Amino acid sequence: MPPSAIAVLLAVYEPRMDWLARLLDSLNTQSLLPACLYVCDDASPHFPKEELEALLQKHITAFPYVLLQNEENQGSNATFAALLQRAKEPYVAFCDQDDVWLRDKLKDSLALLQSSPLRPTLVFGNACVIDGEGSLLACRIEDLRPRHRLQRGYGLADVLIRRNFVMGCTLLIERRRALSYLPFPRALVHDHYLAFRASLDGALDFLDAPQLLYRIHGENQTGTLAGVQSRADYVRLRIRVFCERIRVFSCYTDSPALREAAAWSEARLANAIGKRGGARRLLRLWRYDPTVTAFELLALRLPSPLFRLLIRTIARRRP
């Protein structure tokens, strides 16, 4: 099978060898092979470049690869941006170090991008969910995360203001389009930002059939309350980051939905820091997101030990 015109971009940091090996095998056996795999290690302190090189030599035999290494840890956004700039192929697909791609992922994604009646600016897909041991947790991502609802069509920017539904490990986009969206802002994970910008330029489309096995484990970068252990963490990672997200989005568009989100985000922050009238402002806007609003009005007033216990309980119950 000749290679496609797709560059696969893989950012790695302290990868688990067996998981990474399985991912590489799944790339090496794609029904439509990548033109090239671009890999960058983000200055892993305990994973020598020589081991990564040996792993690539063993498992990537059907197409070429390029291996880079950051001198200092840059984070996934900056690492993916550097890989995007290094790639030369017309299309780029983003890759996580702990997933397993199904055989037709690239073939089906490229076919959708090139032939969908929507003429999409970006395509993505569904995913089966597995745990750290490889056991199946869900046949589709929305079976495990009901709020994660895939959507296609035009005018999806307003939906993406509130919640990202595009998994970066499933998306495919023209490289020149993705390059035009650089730099990736620090306030958003690259997939959310790319989806938002692409939705302003046209339609999004997706493959409902799962395209990969998405591995959920204790060290995932994203997920429900990822990184939150205290009230201060919650305010920093869930509220201030949302406020900054709205600020970034406001640089590219203006809409009633964006202004509503801005008002809600400001009320959330006022409530969280105990600003006078903040709780009343948030309560008036509870319809924007009743679940989050109720949680913050109640949970942020709990004593710190109870708040931490609540967070641990939620994290155990919701992947």
Side-chain angles (χ1 to χ4, degrees), residues 61-198:
T61 59
F63 52 86
Y65 64 84
V66 173
L67 176 57
L68 309 172
Q69 187 173 42
N70 293 336
E71 294 185 5
E72 297 180 351
N73 184 263
Q74 301 292 320
S76 61
N77 272 14
T79 302
F80 275 124
L83 288 169
L84 177 60
Q85 291 171 312
R86 181 65 181 265
K88 300 178 175 61
E89 290 70 22
Y91 304 97
V92 290
F94 294 79
C95 187
D96 290 349
Q97 66 187 25
D98 41 23
D99 298 332
V100 181
W101 286 20
L102 300 182
R103 178 173 170 77
D104 293 329
K105 178 184 183 298
L106 286 182
K107 178 176 72 69
D108 291 347
S109 296
L110 185 60
L112 182 65
L113 186 63
Q114 293 179 334
S115 62
S116 168
L118 292 173
R119 302 184 67 181
T121 52
L122 177 152
V123 298
F124 60 104
N126 216 318
C128 295
V129 184
I130 58 175
D131 64 15
E133 304 306 315
S135 299
L136 183 68
L137 297 177
C139 293
R140 283 175 165 76
I141 187 68
E142 62 266 32
D143 294 338
L144 194 67
R145 297 176 176 172
R147 289 159 67 94
H148 192 122
R149 299 175 183 174
L150 309 187
Q151 299 191 46
R152 60 167 55 89
Y154 294 88
L156 292 174
D158 284 351
V159 179
L160 287 158
I161 290 169
R162 298 182 62 171
R163 187 173 297 111
N164 184 32
F165 53 79
V166 175
M167 299 174 65
C169 52
T170 70
L171 75 81
L172 182 72
I173 188 172
E174 290 186 12
R175 183 177 64 91
R176 63 181 180 179
R177 181 180 299 279
L179 283 171
S180 74
Y181 297 153
L182 290 179
F184 294 147
R186 296 180 62 182
L188 287 91
V189 181
H190 69 281
D191 53 7
H192 195 174
Y193 173 72
L194 284 171
F196 180 80
R197 293 293 306 274

Side-chain angles (χ1 to χ4, degrees), residues 144-148 163 216 222-226 238 291-292 295 311-319:
L144 194 67
R145 297 176 176 172
R147 289 159 67 94
H148 192 122
R163 187 173 297 111
I216 288 182
T222 59
T224 301
L225 299 180
R238 303 292 293 183
T291 301
V292 172
F295 174 84
I311 291 297
R312 289 196 297 270
T313 301
I314 294 173
R316 284 195 296 267
R317 292 181 178 178
R318 297 175 63 188

Side-chain angles (χ1 to χ4, degrees), residues 242-281:
F242 185 83
C243 292
E244 180 62 14
R245 179 196 308 173
I246 299 305
R247 186 198 66 79
V248 170
F249 287 164
S250 298
C251 296
Y252 303 105
T253 188
D254 183 30
S255 68
L258 190 59
R259 292 192 291 272
E260 184 182 18
W264 185 66
S265 68
E266 292 166 4
R268 291 177 69 193
L269 183 58
N271 172 69
I273 64 177
K275 189 174 182 179
R276 186 174 181 179
R280 289 195 301 273
R281 290 171 58 191

